[in-house]
Amino acid sequence: MDTLPRPICCRPITDEERAAQLSTVRHWKVQGSLIKSRLLYLQMKHGIATLKHVLQSLSEADRAVLTKTVFVGEWYELGLLVRLDAAIVAELGATTPDLPEALGAFSAELNIGGTYESLVQRDVEGFLQLSAVVSPTFQTFGSARYEPEGKTGLVHAGTVCLAYDTAPPSQYCQSGIGYFRRAVELCGGIHPEVTITGCRREGAPECRFRICWQPSGASTIPMT
């Protein structure tokens, strides 16, 4: 695995910093499937009481949206997702290491293995190429492409590149580590490793997720 410093998107930030970052991308939206996966994560992994406690910690405006039905095919403000993630980390982060990555992995399990199961290919390379094409299915901002690297021995590798005109909020990409790792497993990849090798907020031209894996058959690795 690459031994690069943790990028700024993987470091904790204050509520004030988060609000300032969100103020620059108010028009960005994400699919309801991403938000719904967070609510289901709380309910299924930690119980309805924890879900209610997290919702109570949010603003009245955010609660008004999240306590109604969240539709997977509708667009919601990115800020709503980011604030919900921050509230989940504040509630559970002390006892759940790498929680943003766990949220991303659960999103992959729910959406790729369920809602968007038709997008799953039992070929990791094919899926990663497709994931760049269908990126607009999940968010209204940025563009994506996939750069294959081929293979070295038994290890295959490639990079998903996400280009944004404006740097995304810190930690938005952190859940992407868990998302891509679990997605590769669902497509049959073994021992996937995901490293952020470029961070838009640190001045890189794009956010880059380098993914390594060993090929195999369909994954049966359960969620933990």
Coordinates of all heavy atoms in Angstrom, one line a residue, residues 1-70:
M1 N 0.9 -1.2 0.0 CA 0.0 0.0 0.0 C 0.9 1.2 0.0 O 1.9 1.3 0.6 CB -0.9 0.0 1.2 CG -1.8 1.2 1.3 SD -2.8 1.3 2.8 CE -3.9 -0.1 2.5
D2 N 0.4 2.3 -0.7 CA 1.2 3.6 -0.7 C 1.3 4.2 0.7 O 0.3 4.1 1.4 CB 0.5 4.6 -1.7 CG 0.5 4.1 -3.1 OD1 1.5 3.4 -3.5 OD2 -0.4 4.4 -3.8
T3 N 2.4 4.7 1.0 CA 2.6 5.4 2.3 C 2.6 6.9 2.2 O 3.6 7.5 2.4 CB 3.9 4.8 3.0 OG1 5.0 5.1 2.1 CG2 3.8 3.3 3.2
L4 N 1.5 7.5 1.6 CA 1.5 8.9 1.5 C 0.8 9.5 2.7 O 0.1 8.9 3.4 CB 0.6 9.2 0.2 CG 1.1 8.7 -1.1 CD1 0.1 9.0 -2.2 CD2 2.4 9.4 -1.5
P5 N 1.2 10.8 3.0 CA 0.5 11.5 4.1 C -1.0 11.5 3.9 O -1.5 11.6 2.8 CB 1.1 12.9 4.0 CG 2.4 12.8 3.2 CD 2.1 11.7 2.3
R6 N -1.8 11.5 5.0 CA -3.2 11.6 4.9 C -3.6 13.0 4.3 O -3.1 14.0 4.8 CB -3.9 11.4 6.2 CG -3.9 10.0 6.7 CD -4.5 9.8 8.1 NE -5.9 10.1 8.1 CZ -6.8 9.2 7.8 NH1 -6.5 8.0 7.3 NH2 -8.1 9.4 7.9
P7 N -4.3 13.0 3.2 CA -4.7 14.3 2.6 C -5.7 15.1 3.5 O -6.2 14.5 4.5 CB -5.4 13.9 1.3 CG -5.9 12.5 1.5 CD -4.9 11.9 2.4
I8 N -5.8 16.3 3.3 CA -6.6 17.2 4.1 C -8.1 16.7 4.2 O -8.8 16.9 5.2 CB -6.5 18.7 3.7 CG1 -7.1 19.6 4.8 CG2 -7.3 18.9 2.4 CD1 -6.8 21.0 4.5
C9 N -8.5 16.1 3.1 CA -9.9 15.6 3.1 C -10.2 14.5 4.1 O -11.3 14.1 4.4 CB -10.3 15.2 1.7 SG -9.3 13.8 1.0
C10 N -9.1 13.9 4.6 CA -9.2 12.8 5.6 C -8.9 13.3 7.0 O -8.7 12.5 7.9 CB -8.3 11.7 5.2 SG -8.8 10.8 3.7
R11 N -8.8 14.6 7.2 CA -8.5 15.1 8.6 C -9.7 15.8 9.2 O -10.5 16.4 8.4 CB -7.3 16.1 8.5 CG -6.0 15.5 7.9 CD -5.0 16.5 7.6 NE -3.9 16.0 6.8 CZ -3.1 16.7 6.1 NH1 -3.2 18.0 6.0 NH2 -2.1 16.1 5.4
P12 N -9.9 15.8 10.5 CA -11.0 16.5 11.1 C -11.0 18.0 10.8 O -9.9 18.6 10.8 CB -10.8 16.1 12.6 CG -9.9 14.9 12.6 CD -9.0 15.1 11.4
I13 N -12.2 18.6 10.7 CA -12.3 20.0 10.6 C -13.3 20.5 11.6 O -14.1 19.7 12.1 CB -12.6 20.5 9.2 CG1 -14.0 19.9 8.7 CG2 -11.5 20.0 8.2 CD1 -14.5 20.5 7.4
T14 N -13.3 21.8 11.8 CA -14.3 22.4 12.8 C -15.6 22.6 12.0 O -15.7 22.7 10.8 CB -13.8 23.7 13.3 OG1 -13.7 24.7 12.3 CG2 -12.4 23.5 14.0
D15 N -16.7 22.9 12.8 CA -18.0 23.2 12.2 C -17.9 24.5 11.4 O -18.6 24.6 10.4 CB -19.0 23.3 13.3 CG -19.4 22.0 14.0 OD1 -19.1 21.0 13.4 OD2 -19.9 22.0 15.1
E16 N -17.1 25.4 11.9 CA -17.0 26.7 11.2 C -16.3 26.5 9.9 O -16.7 27.1 8.9 CB -16.2 27.7 12.1 CG -16.9 28.2 13.3 CD -17.0 27.2 14.4 OE1 -16.2 26.2 14.4 OE2 -17.8 27.3 15.4
E17 N -15.2 25.7 9.8 CA -14.6 25.4 8.6 C -15.5 24.7 7.6 O -15.5 25.0 6.4 CB -13.3 24.6 8.8 CG -12.2 25.3 9.5 CD -11.0 24.4 9.9 OE1 -11.3 23.2 10.3 OE2 -9.9 24.8 9.8
R18 N -16.3 23.8 8.1 CA -17.2 23.0 7.3 C -18.2 24.0 6.7 O -18.6 23.9 5.5 CB -17.9 21.9 8.1 CG -18.8 21.1 7.2 CD -19.4 20.0 8.1 NE -18.4 19.1 8.7 CZ -18.0 19.1 9.9 NH1 -18.6 19.9 10.8 NH2 -17.1 18.3 10.4
A19 N -18.8 24.9 7.5 CA -19.8 25.9 7.0 C -19.2 26.8 5.9 O -19.8 27.1 4.9 CB -20.3 26.7 8.2
A20 N -17.9 27.2 6.1 CA -17.3 28.1 5.1 C -17.1 27.3 3.8 O -17.3 27.9 2.7 CB -16.0 28.6 5.7
Q21 N -16.7 26.1 3.9 CA -16.5 25.3 2.7 C -17.8 25.1 1.9 O -17.9 25.2 0.7 CB -15.8 24.0 3.0 CG -14.4 24.1 3.5 CD -13.8 22.8 4.0 OE1 -14.4 21.7 3.8 NE2 -12.6 22.8 4.6
L22 N -18.9 24.8 2.7 CA -20.2 24.5 2.0 C -20.7 25.8 1.4 O -21.5 25.7 0.4 CB -21.1 24.0 3.1 CG -20.9 22.5 3.5 CD1 -21.8 22.1 4.6 CD2 -21.1 21.6 2.3
S23 N -20.4 27.0 1.9 CA -20.9 28.2 1.4 C -20.5 28.4 0.0 O -21.1 29.2 -0.8 CB -20.5 29.4 2.3 OG -19.1 29.6 2.1
T24 N -19.4 27.8 -0.5 CA -18.9 28.0 -1.8 C -19.5 27.0 -2.8 O -19.3 27.2 -4.0 CB -17.3 27.9 -1.9 OG1 -17.0 26.5 -1.6 CG2 -16.7 28.8 -0.9
V25 N -20.2 26.0 -2.4 CA -20.8 25.0 -3.3 C -22.3 24.8 -3.0 O -22.7 23.6 -3.0 CB -20.0 23.7 -3.1 CG1 -18.6 23.9 -3.7 CG2 -19.9 23.2 -1.7
R26 N -23.0 25.8 -2.7 CA -24.4 25.7 -2.3 C -25.2 25.1 -3.4 O -26.3 24.5 -3.1 CB -25.0 27.1 -1.9 CG -24.4 27.7 -0.6 CD -25.1 28.9 -0.2 NE -24.6 29.5 1.0 CZ -24.9 29.1 2.2 NH1 -25.8 28.1 2.3 NH2 -24.4 29.7 3.3
H27 N -24.8 25.2 -4.7 CA -25.6 24.7 -5.8 C -25.4 23.2 -6.1 O -26.0 22.6 -6.9 CB -25.4 25.5 -7.0 CG -23.9 25.5 -7.5 ND1 -22.9 26.1 -6.7 CD2 -23.3 24.9 -8.5 CE1 -21.8 25.9 -7.3 NE2 -22.0 25.2 -8.4
W28 N -24.4 22.6 -5.4 CA -24.0 21.2 -5.7 C -25.1 20.3 -5.0 O -25.6 20.6 -3.9 CB -22.7 20.9 -5.1 CG -21.5 21.5 -5.8 CD1 -21.6 22.4 -6.8 CD2 -20.1 21.2 -5.7 NE1 -20.3 22.7 -7.3 CE2 -19.4 22.0 -6.6 CE3 -19.4 20.3 -4.8 CZ2 -18.0 21.9 -6.7 CZ3 -18.0 20.3 -4.9 CH2 -17.3 21.1 -5.8
K29 N -25.4 19.2 -5.7 CA -26.5 18.3 -5.2 C -26.0 16.9 -5.4 O -25.1 16.6 -6.2 CB -27.8 18.5 -6.0 CG -28.4 19.9 -5.8 CD -29.8 20.0 -6.4 CE -30.4 21.4 -6.2 NZ -30.6 21.7 -4.8
V30 N -26.6 16.0 -4.5 CA -26.3 14.6 -4.6 C -27.6 13.8 -4.6 O -28.6 14.3 -4.3 CB -25.4 14.1 -3.4 CG1 -24.1 14.7 -3.4 CG2 -26.2 14.4 -2.1
Q31 N -27.5 12.6 -5.1 CA -28.7 11.7 -5.2 C -29.2 11.3 -3.8 O -28.4 11.2 -2.9 CB -28.4 10.4 -5.9 CG -28.6 10.6 -7.4 CD -30.1 10.6 -7.8 OE1 -30.8 9.6 -7.6 NE2 -30.5 11.7 -8.4
G32 N -30.5 11.2 -3.6 CA -31.1 10.8 -2.3 C -30.6 9.4 -1.9 O -30.6 9.2 -0.7
S33 N -30.1 8.6 -2.8 CA -29.6 7.3 -2.4 C -28.4 7.4 -1.5 O -28.3 6.5 -0.6 CB -29.2 6.5 -3.7 OG -28.2 7.2 -4.4
L34 N -27.6 8.4 -1.6 CA -26.4 8.6 -0.7 C -26.9 9.0 0.7 O -26.4 8.5 1.7 CB -25.5 9.6 -1.3 CG -24.9 9.4 -2.7 CD1 -23.9 10.5 -3.1 CD2 -24.2 8.0 -2.7
I35 N -27.9 9.8 0.8 CA -28.4 10.3 2.1 C -29.2 9.1 2.7 O -29.0 8.8 3.9 CB -29.3 11.5 1.9 CG1 -28.4 12.7 1.5 CG2 -30.0 11.8 3.2 CD1 -29.2 13.9 1.1
K36 N -30.0 8.4 1.9 CA -30.8 7.3 2.5 C -29.9 6.2 3.1 O -30.2 5.6 4.1 CB -31.7 6.7 1.4 CG -32.8 5.8 2.0 CD -33.7 5.4 0.9 CE -34.9 4.7 1.5 NZ -35.9 5.6 2.0
S37 N -28.7 6.0 2.4 CA -27.8 5.0 2.9 C -27.3 5.3 4.3 O -27.1 4.4 5.1 CB -26.6 4.8 1.9 OG -25.7 5.9 2.0
R38 N -27.1 6.6 4.6 CA -26.6 7.0 5.9 C -27.7 6.7 7.0 O -27.4 6.3 8.0 CB -26.3 8.5 5.9 CG -24.9 9.0 5.5 CD -24.3 8.3 4.4 NE -23.1 9.0 4.0 CZ -22.4 8.8 2.9 NH1 -22.8 7.8 2.1 NH2 -21.3 9.4 2.6
L39 N -28.9 7.1 6.6 CA -30.0 6.8 7.6 C -30.2 5.3 7.9 O -30.4 4.9 9.0 CB -31.3 7.4 7.0 CG -31.3 9.0 6.8 CD1 -32.6 9.4 6.1 CD2 -31.0 9.7 8.0
L40 N -30.1 4.5 6.8 CA -30.2 3.1 7.0 C -29.0 2.5 7.8 O -29.2 1.6 8.5 CB -30.4 2.4 5.6 CG -31.7 2.6 4.9 CD1 -31.7 2.0 3.5 CD2 -32.8 2.0 5.7
Y41 N -27.8 3.1 7.5 CA -26.7 2.6 8.3 C -26.9 2.8 9.8 O -26.7 1.9 10.6 CB -25.4 3.4 7.9 CG -24.2 3.1 8.7 CD1 -23.3 2.1 8.4 CD2 -23.9 3.9 9.8 CE1 -22.2 1.8 9.1 CE2 -22.8 3.6 10.6 CZ -22.0 2.6 10.3 OH -20.9 2.3 11.0
L42 N -27.4 4.0 10.2 CA -27.7 4.3 11.6 C -28.7 3.3 12.2 O -28.5 2.7 13.2 CB -28.1 5.7 11.8 CG -27.0 6.8 11.6 CD1 -27.7 8.2 11.6 CD2 -26.0 6.7 12.8
Q43 N -29.8 3.2 11.4 CA -30.9 2.3 11.9 C -30.5 0.9 12.0 O -30.8 0.2 13.0 CB -32.1 2.5 11.0 CG -33.3 1.7 11.5 CD -34.6 2.0 10.7 OE1 -34.6 3.0 10.0 NE2 -35.6 1.2 10.8
M44 N -29.8 0.3 11.0 CA -29.5 -1.1 10.9 C -28.3 -1.5 11.8 O -28.2 -2.5 12.4 CB -29.2 -1.5 9.5 CG -30.5 -1.4 8.6 SD -30.1 -1.7 6.8 CE -29.6 -3.4 6.9
K45 N -27.3 -0.6 11.9 CA -26.1 -0.9 12.6 C -26.2 -0.4 14.1 O -25.5 -1.0 15.0 CB -24.9 -0.2 12.0 CG -24.6 -0.6 10.5 CD -24.1 -2.0 10.4 CE -23.7 -2.4 9.0 NZ -23.2 -3.8 8.9
H46 N -26.9 0.6 14.4 CA -26.9 1.2 15.7 C -28.3 1.4 16.4 O -28.3 1.8 17.5 CB -26.1 2.5 15.7 CG -24.7 2.4 15.3 ND1 -23.7 2.0 16.1 CD2 -24.1 2.5 14.1 CE1 -22.5 1.9 15.5 NE2 -22.8 2.2 14.2
G47 N -29.3 1.1 15.6 CA -30.6 1.2 16.2 C -31.4 2.5 16.0 O -30.8 3.5 15.8
I48 N -32.7 2.4 16.1 CA -33.5 3.6 15.9 C -33.3 4.7 16.9 O -33.4 5.9 16.6 CB -35.0 3.2 15.9 CG1 -35.9 4.3 15.4 CG2 -35.4 2.7 17.3 CD1 -35.7 4.6 13.9
A49 N -32.9 4.4 18.1 CA -32.6 5.4 19.1 C -31.4 6.3 18.7 O -31.4 7.5 18.9 CB -32.4 4.8 20.5
T50 N -30.4 5.6 18.2 CA -29.2 6.4 17.8 C -29.6 7.2 16.6 O -29.1 8.4 16.5 CB -28.1 5.4 17.4 OG1 -27.7 4.7 18.5 CG2 -26.9 6.2 16.9
L51 N -30.4 6.7 15.6 CA -30.8 7.5 14.5 C -31.5 8.8 15.0 O -31.2 9.9 14.5 CB -31.7 6.7 13.6 CG -32.5 7.4 12.5 CD1 -31.5 8.1 11.5 CD2 -33.4 6.4 11.7
K52 N -32.4 8.6 15.9 CA -33.2 9.8 16.4 C -32.3 10.8 17.1 O -32.4 12.0 16.9 CB -34.3 9.3 17.4 CG -35.4 8.5 16.7 CD -36.5 8.1 17.7 CE -37.7 7.4 17.0 NZ -38.7 7.0 18.0
H53 N -31.3 10.3 17.8 CA -30.4 11.2 18.5 C -29.5 12.0 17.6 O -29.3 13.2 17.8 CB -29.5 10.3 19.5 CG -28.7 11.2 20.5 ND1 -27.5 11.6 20.3 CD2 -29.1 11.6 21.7 CE1 -27.1 12.3 21.3 NE2 -28.1 12.3 22.2
V54 N -29.1 11.3 16.5 CA -28.3 12.0 15.5 C -29.2 13.1 14.8 O -28.7 14.2 14.6 CB -27.7 11.1 14.4 CG1 -27.2 11.8 13.2 CG2 -26.6 10.2 15.0
L55 N -30.4 12.8 14.5 CA -31.3 13.7 13.8 C -31.6 14.9 14.7 O -31.6 16.0 14.3 CB -32.6 13.0 13.4 CG -32.5 12.0 12.3 CD1 -33.8 11.4 12.0 CD2 -31.9 12.6 11.0
Q56 N -31.7 14.7 16.0 CA -31.9 15.7 17.0 C -30.8 16.7 17.1 O -31.0 17.9 17.4 CB -32.3 15.2 18.3 CG -33.7 14.6 18.5 CD -34.8 15.7 18.2 OE1 -34.6 16.8 18.7 NE2 -35.8 15.3 17.5
S57 N -29.6 16.3 16.7 CA -28.4 17.1 16.8 C -28.3 18.1 15.6 O -27.5 19.0 15.6 CB -27.1 16.3 16.9 OG -26.9 15.6 15.7
L58 N -29.1 17.8 14.6 CA -29.1 18.7 13.4 C -30.0 19.9 13.5 O -30.8 19.9 14.4 CB -29.5 17.8 12.2 CG -28.5 16.7 11.8 CD1 -29.2 15.7 10.8 CD2 -27.2 17.3 11.2
S59 N -29.9 20.8 12.6 CA -30.7 22.0 12.6 C -32.2 21.6 12.3 O -32.5 20.5 11.7 CB -30.3 23.0 11.5 OG -30.5 22.5 10.2
E60 N -33.1 22.4 12.6 CA -34.5 22.2 12.4 C -34.8 22.0 10.9 O -35.6 21.2 10.5 CB -35.4 23.3 12.9 CG -36.8 23.1 12.8 CD -37.7 24.2 13.4 OE1 -37.1 25.1 14.2 OE2 -38.9 24.2 13.2
A61 N -34.1 22.8 10.1 CA -34.3 22.7 8.6 C -33.8 21.3 8.1 O -34.5 20.7 7.2 CB -33.5 23.8 7.9
D62 N -32.7 20.9 8.6 CA -32.2 19.6 8.1 C -33.1 18.4 8.6 O -33.4 17.5 7.9 CB -30.8 19.3 8.6 CG -29.7 20.1 7.8 OD1 -30.1 20.7 6.8 OD2 -28.6 20.2 8.3
R63 N -33.6 18.5 9.8 CA -34.5 17.5 10.4 C -35.8 17.5 9.6 O -36.3 16.4 9.4 CB -34.8 17.8 11.9 CG -33.7 17.5 12.8 CD -34.2 17.3 14.2 NE -35.0 18.4 14.7 CZ -34.5 19.5 15.2 NH1 -33.2 19.6 15.4 NH2 -35.3 20.5 15.6
A64 N -36.2 18.6 9.2 CA -37.5 18.7 8.4 C -37.4 17.8 7.1 O -38.4 17.2 6.7 CB -37.9 20.1 8.1
V65 N -36.2 17.8 6.5 CA -36.0 17.1 5.3 C -35.8 15.6 5.6 O -36.4 14.7 5.0 CB -34.8 17.6 4.5 CG1 -34.6 16.7 3.3 CG2 -35.0 19.0 4.1
L66 N -35.0 15.3 6.6 CA -34.6 13.9 6.9 C -35.7 13.1 7.6 O -35.6 11.9 7.6 CB -33.3 13.9 7.7 CG -32.1 14.5 7.0 CD1 -30.9 14.6 7.9 CD2 -31.7 13.7 5.7
T67 N -36.6 13.7 8.2 CA -37.7 13.0 8.9 C -38.8 12.7 8.0 O -39.7 11.9 8.3 CB -38.2 13.7 10.1 OG1 -38.5 15.1 9.7 CG2 -37.1 13.8 11.2
K68 N -38.8 13.2 6.7 CA -39.7 12.8 5.7 C -39.1 11.7 4.9 O -37.9 11.3 5.1 CB -40.0 14.0 4.8 CG -40.7 15.2 5.5 CD -41.0 16.3 4.6 CE -41.6 17.5 5.3 NZ -41.8 18.7 4.4
T69 N -39.8 11.2 3.9 CA -39.3 10.1 3.1 C -38.2 10.7 2.2 O -38.4 11.7 1.5 CB -40.4 9.5 2.2 OG1 -41.4 9.0 3.0 CG2 -39.8 8.4 1.3
V70 N -37.0 10.1 2.2 CA -35.9 10.5 1.3 C -36.0 9.6 0.1 O -35.8 8.4 0.2 CB -34.5 10.3 2.1 CG1 -33.4 10.6 1.1 CG2 -34.5 11.3 3.2

